Amino acid sequence: MAHLLHTPFIPSSSSSAALRRSSASSGTRRPPVSPGVVRAKIREIFMPALSSTMTEGKIVSWVKSEGDKLSKGESVVVVESDKADMDVETFYDGYLAAIMVDEGGVAAVGAPIALLAENEDEIEQAKSKAQSPSSASSSASSSPAPAAAPAVEAQSDKAPVKAAAAAAPAVASTHPASEGGKRVVASPYAKKLAKELKVELGRIVGTGPLGRIVAKDVEAFAASGAAAAAAPAAAAAPAAAKSGSGVELGSVVPFTTMQSAVSRNMVESLGVPTFRVGYTITTDALDALYKKIKSKGVTMTALLAKATALALVKHPVVNSSCRDGNSFTYNSSINIAIAVATEGGLITPVLQDADKVDVYTLSRKWKELVDKARAKQLQPHEYSTGTFTLSNLGMFGVDRFDAILPPGTGAIMAVGSSQPTVVATKDGRIGMKNQMQVNVTADHRVIYGADLAQFLQTLSQIIEDPKDLTF
Amino acid sequence: MQSTLSLSFSPSSSAAAVSRSHTTRFSLNTSTPLNLRFCGLRPQALAFNASGNHRSSKLPSRPRSQAISAALSANGSPPKSFDYDLLIIGAGVGGHGAALHAVEKGLKTAIVEGDVVGGTCVNRGCVPSKALLAVAGRMRELQNDHHLKSLGLQVSAAGYDRQGVADHAINLASKIRNNLTNSMKALGVDILTGFGKILGPQKVQIGSSDKIVTAKDIIIATGSVPFVPKGIEIDGKTVITSDHALKLEFVPDWIAIVGSGYIGLEFSDVYTALGSEVTFVEALDQLMPGFDPEIGKLAQRVLINPRNIDYHTGVFASKITPARDGKPVRIELIDAKTKEPKDTLEVDAALIATGRAPFTHGLGLENIDVVTQRGFVPVDERMRVIDSNGKLVPHLYCIGDANGKMMLAHAASAQGISVVEQVTGRDHVLNHLSVPAACFTHPEISMVGLTEPQAREKGEKEGFEVSVAKTSFKANTKALAENEGEGLAKLIYRPDNGEILGVHIFGLHAADLIHEASNAIALGTRIQDIKLAVHAHPTLSEVLDELFKSAKVKAHASIPVSEPVAV
């Protein structure tokens, strides 16, 4: 314990004047100066500076948990600095009232990471203080974010707990492994995930061996929970059942935020002079390749994105856009956006640098993006940075369609299904080949017919001889 | 060095000189003759010093062996001539080490093995587990996207073939087993097949046959088997010990590991790397008992918390039923203190890693009046077997797991070598505090000597101060180049004289790094001396270099400035 540092506990500013006075006379209890104001002695624990170069620290673990009694000199938290992990000990006796930065969280040096109450009565007060954002902004202007975030979590935390109590008996019988609902059988990873995602295990129906809750159950529940988060928790379950059955006919339903955004974009697209060029591509070789590497987690979407990206490398103009009506904007990277239908909307997650990233990574990345999209957790850079868009309706059996060009980009490609087709070859024979039709919509201010034609020719060559896709 | 040596010699070897100096002191009061006498003694001391300092205690041991042979002839039972000079029962790593050293010392040696050469370590322990851990380490690297990305690497999804991994472990074990067998055969060690049973002093029966072998000295090196607490039903498929787990016949989705010592920890590393989720069941209040608390805490933060592992501490697995009839493995947990039922686990498999029990049954110990203690053969500090009356059994030694002093393969080997030294006339006592230990997780854990609480207790008892120095792998260039800065090295020492009491390392290649410290302890090298030694840059060994340099020792380096060496 050579490196123990003392946390600089500094009285919080919201009650600072009163606090300092009372702390000076800690033994004698003075009556409150003005009635109605509670003179709680709540101190903030700040992120200590563990080295001269340290600007922020990561909370490795909380040695104590909320409500624990602390005595002077005890280790409270382990902080990772730029150099080492160190135990940080308290300089005061009291109770750890509220943890403001959770394990794994990062806080700037000097930012509050927890509240310390002098006695047990003040714990509740400290907790409410931790939840009110004003305390953070007033005391530590350097980093209000870490304080605000846990506050939100703390509030949302309470709802599921109550709901779980009500929901538990109903769900219980669905756990064969749980002795009639008395306990929850969940795998270690499922438990860990549930804690991270703040999901109550008791509300999840397990699909693992013998009804055990496994990681994917938690993920699925968290994703569905996120969608229904707006609704009150207690009503969430029955409401979800109804929404699945369909829309109520004869009603007018206002756009969601996402639907409004789609609507705005579609109208805006009318201001762009677009034209379309179609092409038929034989996919036998691509299908064979897909079959071969499917087991490695490669998806057709990733293969198409990769093929498109490689074709775009040779035709940078098709990856360009016209921002101001006066110039070409040649994009430095090839980011393939792919349209995904979600519940109540349409979003275009982006595979960035699709020309450079290998197809296995692309496949994984794509899965991650789709999961995030379904859970509505996509970050703006994950759906707004596309330079070329793909829209694929092939899986529904659509053989050809055309797409509307999203404003701000140069081209979008509509991909139909690949179907066995009777083909006459040049030497007069007839054979069977899998073919798919693609149809590119482009902004004619920057991309001309010949550009698209050449691009499509390259694309068809890549798809018909797909060895470069897996490099 | 000189002063201590001359001191230890004075009572025994120079009795004449002492008495003479007494007379001179009385007769002549000048300092010259005295000086001369001491000058005469010095070279003698230095000569001993050059030949190794275990000689210093050679003399006191002689009379003991005489007494032993006298007692033997009184019984009238010892054979006149022997088949072998040394017979070792058990061809594990301990027996092998002893055999090789015995041959080097010119002893006619035989080794008795009832199972396969190599024992636990080679066939069912350290060796195959290292093969699995090597796979685990690579899987971890390939799966750690974040780590790879920070190195600028792109790797497509990593996968493994279970049988391929299992074969690697099996092949490694058989390769090492062959190496061991061949090395003994090449040196002329007779390998006698069958379980050895002691019939009487210096007499051993091989297997159930009539074959009886006599030997001047006998070493028991029968090792150990996995310990299975009562209430646990092993079926070898879903409830298993390390013996079964090393075959890697299946990789369960969820496995409970009972015991969080070395074995449990290493298997948790293997299983989580191969995609299993792990639940530890530990009887003590914290995971990884036996490790230095600080190292244990850090190891938990790195090896347990971020992985798909949860744990129950302070509980016993009172009953474990294997999976059958479509039901999972059931583990009943009771509170370790109150014995109240606490919880029940339903998992796909359970690995029992609650330690190892000595394999000494059927050894014929009753024929020489030796009573085992919980199965362990009682021995003194020289590995000499003690009988039920507390007397030494002549010519019988016990090394390794069977005596339970330090259940490590290399400790057994060191004990074996120590015994061979003794039977060839050089007294030797192994310093167990200089025996390093390692746990091959990713990253590794290694240690030698005392833990901090042990050292503090000893310091308090014996009245010396204990200090601790620490260095982080985060400050090591090579570790950072590997992007593996997670780790800590800890030195526990005496600031007054610079003695190293213990070193504990958690970090990249910790198992390979510990030997600088263990050698220093074995040779009695002090911190003030070793801190002047040079380490290549940039290497992980600089972690220890920094560690020694950061220690604050009051004593000065004892090595005088040597002659300059031209380069």
Side-chain angles (χ1 to χ4, degrees):
Chain A
M1 296 278 156
H3 298 287
L4 278 183
L5 284 173
H6 297 301
T7 319
F9 287 104
I10 299 171
S12 65
S13 57
S14 55
S15 58
S16 63
L19 222 162
R20 259 168 221 150
R21 240 180 295 140
S22 67
S23 77
S25 58
S26 58
T28 56
R29 286 218 124 181
R30 273 189 213 170
V33 177
S34 55
V37 178
V38 185
R39 255 175 238 276
K41 198 176 325 181
I42 299 163
R43 302 171 196 274
E44 285 179 345
I45 302 179
F46 292 98
M47 174 60 73
L50 300 177
S51 74
S52 55
T53 54
M54 177 172 166
T55 55
E56 58 174 29
K58 183 176 165 193
I59 308 288
V60 176
S61 63
W62 282 98
V63 180
K64 301 284 177 181
S65 32
E66 286 185 8
D68 282 0
K69 192 174 185 327
L70 307 175
S71 46
K72 203 172 142 182
E74 264 187 306
S75 288
V76 181
V77 60
V78 182
V79 170
E80 181 188 81
S81 74
D82 51 346
K83 295 201 169 60
D85 295 352
M86 288 181 189
D87 284 28
V88 177
E89 61 187 39
T90 152
F91 211 48
Y92 295 91
D93 293 341
Y95 292 86
L96 185 60
I99 288 173
M100 298 164 80
V101 181
D102 280 337
E103 288 183 7
V106 173
V109 168
I113 54 174
L115 293 179
L116 181 87
E118 192 178 60
N119 56 48
E120 270 179 283
D121 309 336
E122 289 158 3
I123 293 179
E124 278 310 310
Q125 196 191 340
K127 274 194 182 150
S128 58
K129 190 167 139 60
Q131 286 174 7
S132 70
S134 64
S135 74
S137 56
S138 63
S139 59
S141 56
S142 55
S143 171
V152 174
E153 280 161 8
Q155 281 162 349
S156 60
D157 228 13
K158 288 195 172 160
V161 175
K162 280 187 205 126
V171 177
S173 59
T174 55
H175 292 286
S178 67
E179 287 179 354
K182 272 187 223 132
R183 64 199 182 86
V184 175
V185 177
S187 81
Y189 185 36
K191 281 184 203 158
K192 195 162 281 186
L193 264 183
K195 203 175 159 193
E196 269 169 29
L197 299 173
K198 301 201 185 298
V199 172
E200 192 73 23
L201 280 170
R203 300 173 65 201
I204 303 174
V205 179
T207 63
L210 300 147
R212 171 196 304 167
I213 299 170
V214 292
K216 70 171 169 36
D217 300 332
V218 178
E219 277 166 352
F221 185 85
S224 70
K242 258 187 198 167
S243 68
S245 63
V247 292
E248 222 171 296
L249 299 176
S251 62
V252 176
V253 182
F255 282 158
T256 61
T257 324
M258 188 193 274
Q259 287 159 342
S260 312
V262 171
S263 164
R264 225 171 19 247
N265 272 340
M266 290 306 97
V267 174
E268 199 183 315
S269 74
L270 291 175
V272 178
T274 55
F275 74 114
R276 291 154 181 85
V277 177
Y279 208 98
T280 301
I281 301 175
T282 302
T283 61
D284 286 321
L286 185 71
D287 292 340
L289 176 72
Y290 175 57
K291 218 174 196 176
K292 212 168 75 188
I293 56 177
K294 196 176 167 186
S295 61
K296 294 181 185 164
V298 174
T299 60
M300 189 47 104
T301 305
L303 280 173
L304 285 173
K306 184 75 195 173
T308 308
L310 290 179
L312 286 172
V313 172
K314 296 189 179 142
H315 304 279
V317 71
V318 184
N319 196 42
S320 73
S321 61
C322 179
R323 299 268 162 88
D324 51 6
N326 296 320
S327 62
F328 291 81
T329 303
Y330 289 102
N331 292 302
S332 55
S333 44
I334 296 174
N335 297 338
I336 306 288
I338 304 169
V340 172
T342 62
E343 202 184 320
L346 168 75
I347 199 157
T348 54
V350 176
L351 287 170
Q352 287 173 347
D353 292 317
D355 55 326
K356 300 194 183 79
V357 178
D358 69 82
V359 75
Y360 306 99
T361 313
L362 278 182
S363 302
R364 271 202 307 280
K365 183 77 194 166
W366 180 243
K367 190 177 172 300
E368 191 187 306
L369 287 170
V370 170
D371 288 347
K372 272 190 176 171
R374 300 248 154 89
K376 305 199 170 153
Q377 286 169 344
L378 280 181
Q379 298 301 310
H381 72 270
E382 288 173 320
Y383 61 79
S384 63
T385 52
T387 57
F388 184 95
T389 311
L390 277 183
S391 181
N392 185 358
L393 292 179
M395 59 286 238
F396 300 109
V398 170
D399 65 344
R400 83 192 87 92
F401 68 107
D402 74 42
I404 294 179
L405 181 66
T409 62
I412 178 170
M413 182 161 75
V415 182
S417 69
S418 172
Q419 288 173 327
T421 313
V422 176
V423 182
T425 55
K426 278 181 190 149
D427 53 4
R429 293 189 204 186
I430 291 174
M432 183 82 88
K433 278 181 175 159
N434 286 336
Q435 289 192 324
M436 74 174 179
Q437 296 195 28
V438 297
N439 192 6
V440 181
T441 306
D443 181 346
H444 209 304
R445 289 173 299 174
V446 286
I447 302 167
Y448 303 167
D451 297 327
L452 274 192
Q454 284 162 358
F455 163 73
L456 286 167
Q457 199 175 18
T458 308
L459 179 68
S460 99
Q461 280 161 4
I462 291 171
I463 289 178
E464 283 165 16
D465 184 11
K467 64 179 184 311
D468 289 340
L469 293 184
T470 50
F471 52 96
Chain B
M1 273 303 227
Q2 283 183 8
S3 63
T4 50
L5 269 174
S6 55
L7 265 176
S8 67
F9 277 105
S10 54
S12 55
S13 65
S14 56
V18 171
S19 64
R20 245 181 289 150
S21 66
H22 271 290
T23 51
T24 38
R25 204 184 290 169
F26 281 108
S27 59
L28 290 164
N29 215 5
T30 54
S31 58
T32 13
L34 264 175
N35 271 349
L36 272 174
R37 301 231 179 271
F38 277 104
C39 285
L41 262 173
R42 277 275 161 81
Q44 198 183 351
L46 283 170
F48 276 111
N49 182 19
S51 64
N53 52 3
H54 12 257
R55 268 229 191 144
S56 59
S57 44
K58 176 190 169 189
L59 287 164
S61 75
R62 273 248 173 95
R64 240 177 268 140
S65 62
Q66 276 161 5
I68 286 162
S69 57
L72 272 175
S73 52
N75 281 339
S77 58
K80 291 273 183 299
S81 64
F82 299 101
D83 299 331
Y84 294 101
D85 295 325
L86 180 66
L87 183 75
I88 301 159
I89 307 175
V93 168
H96 175 257
L100 257 52
H101 195 63
V103 170
E104 194 192 315
K105 289 282 168 187
L107 300 183
K108 190 182 179 205
T109 309
I111 196 158
V112 185
E113 179 54 61
D115 189 23
V116 280
V117 170
T120 298
C121 173
V122 173
N123 299 296
R124 298 174 300 273
C126 349
V127 171
S129 67
K130 294 305 95 63
L132 298 184
L133 282 158
V135 174
R138 282 173 171 76
M139 278 301 286
R140 270 189 205 294
E141 275 175 32
L142 295 174
Q143 285 166 344
N144 191 342
D145 286 342
H146 173 71
H147 187 203
L148 290 171
K149 208 177 268 174
S150 66
L151 292 170
L153 284 176
Q154 288 170 3
V155 176
S156 57
Y160 70 93
D161 162 33
R162 183 200 54 76
Q163 194 53 49
V165 179
D167 288 347
H168 174 50
I170 293 162
N171 293 342
L172 179 72
S174 69
K175 186 182 248 171
I176 304 294
R177 183 166 61 236
N178 289 339
N179 288 351
L180 236 62
T181 313
N182 293 340
S183 71
M184 289 195 290
K185 277 187 183 155
L187 290 169
V189 175
D190 283 353
I191 300 174
L192 311 175
T193 309
F195 285 95
K197 184 176 180 183
I198 299 169
L199 294 178
Q202 297 168 297
K203 219 183 279 176
V204 172
Q205 182 186 17
I206 312 296
S208 52
S209 67
D210 298 336
K211 187 168 182 192
I212 291 168
V213 183
T214 57
K216 187 169 167 292
D217 292 290
I218 294 170
I219 297 179
I220 299 170
T222 46
S224 62
V225 291
F227 169 68
V228 179
K230 63 175 195 305
I232 296 176
E233 189 188 334
I234 301 282
D235 71 346
K237 291 190 172 63
T238 56
V239 180
I240 57 179
T241 66
S242 56
D243 287 4
H244 311 104
L246 288 165
K247 293 183 191 145
L248 201 74
E249 275 167 355
F250 95 118
V251 178
D253 289 340
W254 184 4
I255 184 166
I257 299 181
V258 183
S260 65
Y262 293 69
I263 303 175
L265 212 53
E266 289 191 352
F267 274 108
S268 79
D269 196 280
V270 171
Y271 278 118
T272 51
L274 299 183
S276 300
E277 296 174 36
V278 170
T279 296
F280 270 119
V281 175
E282 172 58 53
L284 294 170
D285 286 336
Q286 64 179 59
L287 291 177
M288 292 176 267
F291 291 93
D292 183 89
E294 200 170 350
I295 297 286
K297 222 161 86 185
L298 179 61
Q300 180 168 343
R301 202 186 296 153
V302 177
L303 300 177
I304 309 276
N305 296 349
R307 298 184 180 170
N308 295 336
I309 300 176
D310 68 349
Y311 49 86
H312 299 259
T313 53
V315 290
F316 282 129
S318 60
K319 189 162 187 276
I320 300 183
T321 328
R324 58 170 76 101
D325 310 327
K327 286 198 183 117
V329 175
R330 243 182 108 81
I331 303 177
E332 286 171 26
L333 300 178
I334 57 167
D335 191 287
K337 289 187 191 89
T338 63
K339 310 288 180 217
E340 302 269 312
K342 231 179 151 181
D343 208 344
T344 308
L345 301 178
E346 280 135 4
V347 293
D348 300 320
L351 168 66
I352 312 305
T354 43
R356 301 187 61 85
F359 180 61
T360 53
H361 190 72
L363 197 51
L365 290 170
E366 62 282 358
N367 297 334
I368 42 163
D369 199 21
V370 171
V371 179
T372 58
Q373 290 159 1
R374 291 179 300 123
F376 293 109
V377 177
V379 293
D380 72 350
E381 75 286 354
R382 289 179 170 80
M383 311 303 139
R384 294 178 295 200
V385 175
I386 299 169
D387 71 10
S388 59
N389 302 317
K391 290 206 187 90
L392 295 178
V393 179
H395 302 295
L396 185 63
Y397 301 81
C398 177
I399 61 167
D401 288 5
N403 72 28
K405 271 188 181 290
M406 200 177 214
M407 296 175 87
L408 296 167
H410 49 275
S413 186
Q415 290 170 355
I417 289 166
S418 174
V419 168
V420 170
E421 284 287 306
Q422 290 172 60
V423 303
T424 50
R426 289 157 59 99
D427 191 23
H428 185 261
V429 178
L430 177 66
N431 175 8
H432 283 89
L433 285 179
S434 74
V435 178
C439 184
F440 296 83
T441 43
H442 297 92
E444 296 170 343
I445 311 171
S446 63
M447 69 214 74
V448 65
L450 304 175
T451 63
E452 189 180 338
Q454 285 169 343
R456 296 224 180 267
E457 197 188 321
K458 192 179 178 200
E460 202 143 298
K461 216 178 277 171
E462 297 178 14
F464 59 80
E465 203 186 321
V466 172
S467 289
V468 171
K470 281 181 252 181
T471 53
S472 168
F473 278 62
K474 279 193 180 112
N476 181 277
T477 311
K478 190 70 192 307
L480 291 177
E482 301 280 344
N483 225 337
E484 307 258 4
E486 194 89 66
L488 173 80
K490 178 174 173 179
L491 168 70
I492 301 148
Y493 65 102
R494 283 181 66 158
D496 56 341
N497 63 8
E499 185 188 346
I500 301 170
L501 301 171
V503 173
H504 303 263
I505 310 174
F506 174 79
L508 186 64
H509 294 305
D512 293 309
L513 292 176
I514 195 70
H515 297 95
E516 184 168 11
S518 63
N519 287 352
I521 293 179
L523 301 175
T525 313
R526 297 293 161 98
I527 294 167
Q528 59 271 30
D529 296 327
I530 203 169
K531 78 190 329 182
L532 299 176
V534 183
H535 296 72
H537 176 77
T539 60
L540 289 171
S541 73
E542 288 171 295
V543 170
L544 284 194
D545 188 29
E546 281 235 7
L547 189 63
F548 294 132
K549 286 193 163 82
S550 66
K552 295 195 172 44
V553 180
K554 286 164 196 138
H556 292 292
S558 60
I559 298 173
V561 178
S562 320
E563 287 289 306
V565 178
V567 284

